[in-house]
Structures are given as structure tokens and as C-alpha cells.
Amino acid sequence: MKILGIETSCDETAAAVVENGRKLLSNVVSSSVDLHSAYGGVVPEIAARSHLEVILPGIDQALQDAIAKSHKPKATSKKRVKDLGLKAHGSRLFDPWDQIDAIAVTQGPGLLGSLLIGVLTARTLAIAQNKPLYAINHVEAHVYASFLDSKPNFPLLALIVSGGHTQLVLFEAHNRYKMLGQTLDDAVGEAYDKVAKILGFPYPGGPSIAEAAAKGNPRAFHLPAAKMQNPHDFSFSGLKTAVLRAAQTASGHDFTFPSTKLPKVLSGSQKADLAASFQRAANQTLVAVLQKAITESQPASVVMAGGVAANKNLREMAQTSLSTEVIYPDFALCTDNAAMIAAAAFYKGKKARANPYSLAPDPSLSM
Ligand code: KG4
Ligand code: ZN
């Protein structure tokens, strides 16, 4: 079964074709991140407009790439396939939609204007091409990115660490899970982004914090970890403020010094030390909470997914301090993509079926 996935919840317009929930036939991701960089965060109107501009070419590209991958046409037919946008199969030409069995789309959570573009496109295509439609929760789908090249077993403990969410979930089966804990304020990716802004690094902050941290001393600043009532919950807002205070002090100013002026007065090595100390503190919290849950629930598999799961320091820390091996999606599938949406639809099956005439985006859809 080949599913076309469509994802537009934030600033990535993505389309992908996945066969039987495992085989990645195509994966097209077009990001509007450069357009948001100047503003230090995602501007919803700009995100929605760029989805509108690239969603149809993106879907088209995903269909073409999938054809090329599943049929590996002979050298002579390659050009024809590319030029005509049709599948060459022997001497006959097929509509590229013939290979698609269903369409899956992110219903939420995310930005309403962005979600609308994906949902309305998917609904229209499902009706026009007469394909079943699946509605997928974006946060849950992050976990399914790991099913693309691994075989996690149940019970499956998943730590989802993204720009919008930090959730610890115990899956007993597909469609059957228990939320163990979540962040009570900022998501961990959001904390990476906010700390990057304090230090003057571009949005999204995760990769630039990781890069600066590699040159810094992770023990230069002592940053406190939040104490939580529920040991499976998280809080990162205090850590972000602790970085701000440490930066103000390190630059020789008091706490009234505006954060917007910090990038100019901090030295390169101070920024690297602050980035490394923050990264260590944030990742230590994630790993410590995860270990508690592993000990309590004794899962058969542990998955870490979402944008922050691409952080190499986090993976190293997990490798050295957790009692269990962790399964990660491929680096490219940690951040937002549509392959995880298509994979989730395959495994969730009937439970995710949606009406193409009425499916509405839900910006605050919860798991
Ligand atoms: O999963 P994702 O692409 O989007 C959401 O669903 O939110 O996650 C994006 C988040 C951003 O906050 C970004 O800074 C963070 O993932 N991120 C990273 C890294 N790459 C992306 N954080 C830490 N280290 C990274 N290498
Ligand atoms: Zn995401």
C-alpha cells in the first residue's frame, strides 16, 4: 500500500510517498525558514503563503520521485518520465496517481493558516482522485518516523522532543497509548530557539546552539534543573531565564540589561560556553526523565523523535547514561517531514480515516 503524506503544520511544506509504512519512495521538504530568520521566529502569514506557493509542485515532485524509485525506468525511458510527468511502464503511460492508494495529511496541532493549506489540498485531491483520506496528529507522527527504518516493539516508550512539544508517551499498541508526562511551559526545542535568540544565533536555534556548543565548555555555567511534582513532566522556561541571567552577568551587566543587546556585548567564547552549558542542562533533563520512565515501565523499545532528537550531544548522552538502547529516526526525518505522516496513517489504519468533505484542521489537536 502506497500512501502520499502531506505535512504543512508549521514552516515546512512536505510531501512524501511511503510503501507499507516502511519503504520511503520519496521525501520532498521545502522550508520557508530563511524567510522567517530575520524575524527570529515563524511568521504565520509568511508560512501560509509559502505553503500555498509550493504545495502542488512539492506533491508533484514526490509523485515523480516515487515513480522513479519504485520502477527504476531504463535509461531510455528516464527522460520521458521526467518530461511528461507520467509513469513509463513497458510501452504504456500511466497517470502517476495510479500508484497511490491513499492520502494522509496533518490535521494538527500547528498554525491554523498553515494547516488549512495542507488539509484543503489533501481533501481536494482525495475527492478528485477518489482516494481514501487519513487525518494524522503531527506530534504522534514524529514517533512513526522511527518505523521507517527500524522495527520498534511494544510496549514502546517514546520521548517526543520538538519545537512545539515535549511529551513522554507509552504506546501499548498502535492507537493505544498513555501520556506519562509533558512540558508545563516551553517545549525543549522552543528553549533551544529562545536561547539561540539571546545569543544572537539564527532561527531555528537548535542546530546553531549545537554548533557553538561544540566549541564551548559545558561546565562553564551552572544552570539549575527544574524540580517537578510529576517526575515525568518537564519545564524549560526557568532554564532559558537562567541562561539570560548568566549572559547578563558574564557580560558585566545587571538583570535590567536588555536581552536584545547581549549578542553584541558577549564574546565568541562566552557564547560558546553559554550554548554548551545550556545544551548540557537541557539534554541532561531529557535523559534523566527518560531513564525514570524506562525503569518504571520496562518498555520493549525506546524511541526519541522530533527535531531535537537530531542533537548529537543528546544522542551521545543517551548512549552513555541510559540503561536501554534508543531508536532514532534518520537525522533527516527528525525534523518535520511528510514521510512520518504517511507512515503513521499506514500503522493507525481505520482509526485515522477521515471524511474528505468535512475534515477540518485543528491547531490545538492533542494526542
Ligand atoms: O520537529 P520539528 O521540526 O518541528 C516541530 O514539530 O516543532 O522541531 C523543530 C525544533 C526546533 O526548535 C529546532 O531548534 C530543533 O527542533 N532542532 C534541534 C536540532 N535540530 C533541530 N535542536 C537541537 N539540536 C539540533 N541539532
Ligand atoms: Zn514537528
Side-chain angles (χ1 to χ4, degrees):
M1 181 183 193
K2 290 180 191 165
I3 302 182
L4 168 72
I6 298 174
E7 151 66 37
T8 63
S9 66
C10 191
D11 54 348
E12 262 96 29
T13 316
V17 179
V18 174
E19 187 170 12
N20 296 332
R22 285 191 61 78
K23 193 171 175 201
L24 189 59
L25 295 180
S26 65
N27 184 34
V28 177
V29 182
S30 158
S31 178
S32 60
V33 66
D34 292 347
L35 304 176
H36 306 289
S37 234
Y39 305 94
V42 176
V43 183
E45 289 79 4
I46 295 178
R49 189 185 305 185
S50 29
H51 287 309
L52 207 47
E53 282 168 7
V54 299
I55 191 159
L56 292 177
I59 290 171
D60 202 39
Q61 183 71 50
L63 294 175
Q64 299 306 324
D65 290 356
I67 290 166
K69 182 134 181 195
S70 49
H71 288 273
K72 291 216 175 62
K74 290 188 191 102
T76 47
S77 60
K78 244 185 196 160
K79 194 168 179 294
R80 209 159 142 221
V81 169
K82 195 164 171 282
D83 291 349
L84 298 178
L86 297 170
K87 175 164 83 176
H89 190 265
S91 59
R92 290 171 58 202
L93 292 172
F94 288 94
D95 182 333
W97 280 98
D98 283 354
Q99 65 177 336
I100 300 298
D101 300 296
I103 299 172
V105 66
T106 303
Q107 183 187 10
L111 302 168
L112 178 60
S114 291
L115 290 167
L116 255 177
I117 312 291
V119 168
L120 290 180
T121 304
R123 281 174 54 181
T124 309
L125 291 172
I127 294 166
Q129 301 291 342
N130 196 23
K131 308 285 178 191
L133 181 65
Y134 292 83
I136 300 298
N137 179 308
H138 175 94
V139 182
E140 190 180 349
H142 269 298
V143 177
Y144 283 93
S146 66
F147 282 74
L148 282 158
D149 42 20
S150 309
K151 279 197 173 137
N153 293 309
F154 296 105
L156 161 63
L157 180 65
L159 178 59
I160 306 156
V161 282
S162 73
H165 295 84
T166 308
Q167 291 184 182
L168 191 59
V169 189
L170 185 64
F171 286 78
E172 278 129 33
H174 298 297
N175 296 314
R176 214 171 65 235
Y177 52 76
K178 201 162 60 187
M179 188 78 67
L180 300 182
Q182 58 190 319
T183 183
L184 301 186
D185 40 59
D186 292 352
V188 62
E190 192 179 350
Y192 267 91
D193 295 338
K194 286 178 175 170
V195 167
K197 200 170 179 179
I198 292 171
L199 301 179
F201 300 145
Y203 174 85
S208 38
I209 290 274
E211 197 188 325
K215 291 172 246 150
N217 172 9
R219 291 188 167 76
F221 295 92
H222 175 73
L223 302 168
K227 293 243 180 326
M228 310 306 295
Q229 220 167 24
N230 169 3
H232 300 317
D233 279 342
F234 305 87
S235 163
F236 291 102
S237 150
L239 176 59
K240 169 206 66 194
T241 308
V243 174
L244 172 63
R245 300 291 176 241
Q248 287 165 322
T249 308
S251 68
H253 295 88
D254 66 17
F255 295 168
T256 60
F257 190 76
S259 66
T260 48
K261 291 191 176 156
L262 281 169
K264 282 217 169 76
V265 297
L266 289 167
S267 71
S269 74
Q270 282 173 325
K271 287 182 191 177
D273 287 349
L274 284 162
S277 303
F278 161 76
Q279 179 177 257
R280 175 170 182 258
N283 292 351
Q284 267 181 340
T285 299
L286 295 175
V287 170
V289 173
L290 186 54
Q291 180 58 58
K292 271 191 213 122
I294 291 172
T295 310
E296 259 173 48
S297 54
Q298 298 292 318
S301 294
V302 179
V303 164
M304 245 200 262
V308 182
N311 186 276
K312 291 204 177 105
N313 173 264
L314 175 61
R315 292 187 180 206
E316 282 158 19
M317 217 184 253
Q319 171 76 35
T320 52
S321 44
L322 290 179
S323 58
T324 311
E325 279 287 325
V326 176
I327 296 170
Y328 300 92
D330 187 86
F331 276 104
L333 297 175
C334 284
T335 47
D336 290 349
N337 64 83
M340 67 186 196
I341 305 300
F346 177 81
Y347 292 105
K348 289 181 66 66
K350 275 200 207 106
K351 277 263 177 179
R353 277 295 291 273
N355 184 339
Y357 290 93
S358 61
L359 178 68
D362 184 350
S364 48
L365 186 69
S366 57
M367 271 184 76

